[in-house]
Amino acid sequence: MRLVEAEVQEREDGGINLVVKLRQTKWSGWFFRMPEGAKKTFELDEMGRLVWDNCNGKTSVQQIIRRLSRQYNLNLREAQVSTIQFLNMLTRKGLIGMTLKEPPGGK
Amino acid sequence: MQMTAEHPNHARAPANRQRVVWQGWRIDLPIRWNPVKLEGTFEEGYALFADLHRARLGIRWSRNRRVGKDPASWIKRTMRDEVGQLAADEAQPYTKADAAFVDSLLYLEPEPPGRDVWIAYSRCSDRLIQVIHHARRRERILPDQLLPTLVDESDQPLRRWSVLDLSCQVPADLALEKPLLFAGDLGLRFKGRRGELTVRQIAPATLALKRMPLENWLRKQQRDVKKHYRPSKSHEAVTLQTPDGRELKGVEAPLPRRRRFFWKFSLQPMLRTIAVHDPTRDRVVIVQGAGQGLDLYRVIESVGWAGTRESGS
């Protein structure tokens, strides 16, 4: 699911720009002050957009992989590798978070 | 330039199956099983196939070196090493396999989860092959669905390859030097005594061509070997017609060897690079190479012979 409220700007090539407001963290404030209203823009292409649109807290990673594979006629393995790498990148940037589904019967 | 060429019959896999052809082996697998590990050479190697959940099938092959001309004892010993003496004693001969396989033994795990193992010797290529199915419950997918589709195609003059979404056909004397399999950018590099070849496929073409035009993809491919070859500044248009009716339009350019490497006879004096757009399959295909008896046009037309299938939902 998404962790930030990003402003979405449509691009001509079918992709989107995600504009995210930057927040000053406690420790970085000791060294430099961030300008008021500083923003960071992430450029996503069509495939990135499909993944971002599906990060809604309801769609599982496997469903995203299958959708990507079906829409772009990609091999399932290729779709899996690229989607997981992309989701990892989004997680590292703090844009999304993932919840783990508990296996049936508990841990 | 207009080129047409005839192809041998490229039989495709039945519905919900994908045809995997690797190092001379051909097998039809469920569409969700994809390779996660491909190692080794024609002589000896290993391939592991998995779906989104777990490993499903392993294929291991090796050439007969020690035992000489007695494949039956070699198979028995390999089966014992794989499943243990007690289980190996329970292995049965398997008769539904292709005629090229002799002395095959099949062991089905009576109490899954476990491994079903089939081992046979291929007269065609003098190699031993092991197929290991990771069975979670009692099912007969290995003996009834997978093994009957396994074929050794090594004796063909043209060797077919099909892995993930990339399929092509190259002369058999070109051995796979390096697989370059990345998501969306699949490639195979071949090298032989009389030539070298790189086959690359980028998907989806609509996105790839938005990033840069076909001419730039061609130049980018040429830059990879710029240490030894001089990238060409000009290119010419090329149109190819595949036997199954696809029209491929693109560009091609020569790639001459740099003069300072005139002494290096292992390098071809001139390579050619062809980059085409396949709108039917939505792929960009790039082929680069040269060699005696190597027809790049035929190679590029053969790309996609296994078809592009929709991955199962």
Side-chain angles (χ1 to χ4, degrees):
Chain A
M1 65 176 71
R2 296 173 199 161
L3 296 181
V4 290
E5 280 300 320
E7 181 192 334
V8 177
Q9 295 172 349
E10 299 271 346
R11 287 211 318 258
E12 282 180 7
D13 60 357
I16 51 171
N17 286 344
L18 293 179
V19 184
V20 182
K21 280 183 188 167
L22 290 178
R23 277 181 300 183
Q24 184 99 47
T25 57
K26 187 181 170 186
W27 294 105
S28 68
W30 284 79
F31 300 104
F32 67 92
R33 185 165 293 278
M34 202 176 283
E36 196 68 33
K39 290 174 180 174
K40 195 172 186 179
T41 304
F42 297 90
E43 292 184 8
L44 307 187
D45 66 2
E46 260 183 65
M47 289 168 111
R49 178 190 187 158
L50 188 144
V51 176
W52 176 258
D53 288 344
N54 281 290
C55 291
N56 49 16
K58 294 174 189 167
T59 315
S60 70
V61 175
Q62 279 192 22
Q63 283 171 320
I64 297 176
I65 291 167
R66 291 206 178 99
R67 277 179 199 175
L68 193 80
S69 145
R70 208 176 308 131
Q71 181 142 347
Y72 292 99
N73 205 4
L74 291 176
N75 181 282
L76 209 53
R77 174 72 185 159
E78 284 183 89
Q80 182 192 19
V81 170
S82 52
T83 307
I84 288 175
Q85 274 186 353
F86 184 63
L87 289 175
N88 276 340
M89 191 270 288
L90 291 181
T91 312
R92 271 203 316 274
K93 302 278 180 193
L95 296 175
I96 62 163
M98 283 188 256
T99 53
L100 290 176
K101 195 175 156 188
E102 203 168 289
K107 289 178 185 173
Chain B
M1 184 183 291
Q2 192 85 24
M3 289 283 300
T4 53
E6 284 184 8
H7 267 299
N9 181 27
H10 292 321
R12 292 181 178 180
N16 295 324
R17 297 272 151 173
Q18 60 171 328
R19 186 150 286 183
V20 177
V21 190
W22 189 257
Q23 299 288 9
W25 306 113
R26 191 189 84 197
I27 189 168
D28 291 348
L29 297 178
I31 210 143
R32 292 186 187 187
W33 297 11
N34 284 302
V36 290
K37 192 183 274 189
L38 293 164
E39 291 176 349
T41 59
F42 181 81
E43 308 283 322
E44 196 169 5
Y46 179 65
L48 180 68
F49 298 87
D51 63 6
L52 287 179
H53 306 283
R54 63 181 189 277
R56 294 291 193 148
L57 191 81
I59 300 178
R60 191 181 294 137
W61 61 94
S62 57
R63 184 154 272 184
N64 193 352
R65 289 204 186 96
R66 288 177 297 178
V67 186
K69 297 291 177 189
D70 184 16
S73 63
W74 187 23
I75 288 170
K76 277 182 189 161
R77 201 184 55 238
T78 311
M79 180 65 88
R80 192 190 61 210
D81 294 346
E82 189 68 36
V83 295
Q85 184 66 59
L86 290 175
D89 291 342
E90 291 175 18
Q92 301 290 323
Y94 178 77
T95 52
K96 285 189 204 165
D98 188 65
F101 297 114
V102 293
D103 297 325
S104 70
L105 279 179
L106 173 67
Y107 169 72
L108 291 176
E109 172 64 48
E111 292 175 10
R115 289 177 303 164
D116 298 338
V117 180
W118 177 78
I119 305 178
Y121 171 76
S122 169
R123 277 187 299 215
C124 193
S125 59
D126 187 30
R127 292 183 295 176
L128 188 89
I129 182 166
Q130 298 176 57
V131 181
I132 301 131
H133 175 236
H134 300 263
R136 263 183 88 185
R137 58 178 184 273
R138 184 65 273 137
E139 54 191 3
R140 291 189 56 85
I141 185 169
L142 180 68
D144 293 348
Q145 292 177 37
L146 301 181
L147 293 181
T149 66
L150 182 69
V151 179
D152 188 353
E153 295 186 336
S154 308
D155 54 349
Q156 303 293 323
L158 290 172
R159 186 162 294 158
R160 295 197 290 173
W161 296 82
S162 173
V163 62
L164 295 168
D165 190 31
L166 175 63
S167 53
C168 61
Q169 182 176 261
V170 304
D173 59 344
L174 290 178
L176 180 71
E177 187 186 37
K178 195 176 184 186
L180 307 155
L181 302 171
F182 307 104
D185 187 350
L186 304 169
L188 297 173
R189 191 185 295 158
F190 302 92
K191 200 164 176 70
R193 289 181 64 191
R194 293 185 300 171
E196 64 177 87
L197 174 69
T198 303
V199 181
R200 189 173 166 206
Q201 177 179 276
I202 296 142
T206 40
L207 292 187
L209 294 176
K210 267 181 197 169
R211 274 208 300 279
M212 57 181 170
L214 206 54
E215 294 78 16
N216 290 12
W217 281 106
L218 180 119
R219 282 195 202 103
K220 197 167 175 238
Q221 180 66 34
Q222 293 198 325
R223 276 203 298 272
D224 289 351
V225 289
K226 69 177 181 181
K227 181 182 172 190
H228 296 112
Y229 292 91
R230 197 168 60 247
S232 164
K233 284 175 187 161
S234 62
H235 59 262
E236 57 183 271
V238 61
T239 305
L240 303 168
Q241 193 80 37
T242 65
D244 57 355
R246 287 178 289 140
E247 191 180 62
L248 314 174
K249 283 185 178 173
V251 286
E252 70 168 300
L255 193 59
R257 186 174 62 194
R258 290 188 187 275
R259 276 184 225 159
R260 62 176 178 267
F261 292 109
F262 71 94
W263 50 272
K264 209 163 182 180
F265 295 111
S266 60
L267 294 176
Q268 295 291 323
M270 172 84 80
L271 299 181
R272 286 198 81 76
T273 314
I274 308 173
V276 294
H277 176 210
D278 184 349
T280 317
R281 298 174 58 240
D282 194 20
R283 302 287 184 262
V284 170
V285 179
I286 302 172
V287 169
Q288 180 172 285
Q292 202 178 334
L294 176 64
D295 185 350
L296 291 185
Y297 295 118
R298 291 206 67 176
V299 173
I300 211 161
E301 285 167 9
S302 74
V303 174
W305 66 262
T308 302
R309 290 183 181 283
E310 293 206 6
S311 305
S313 56

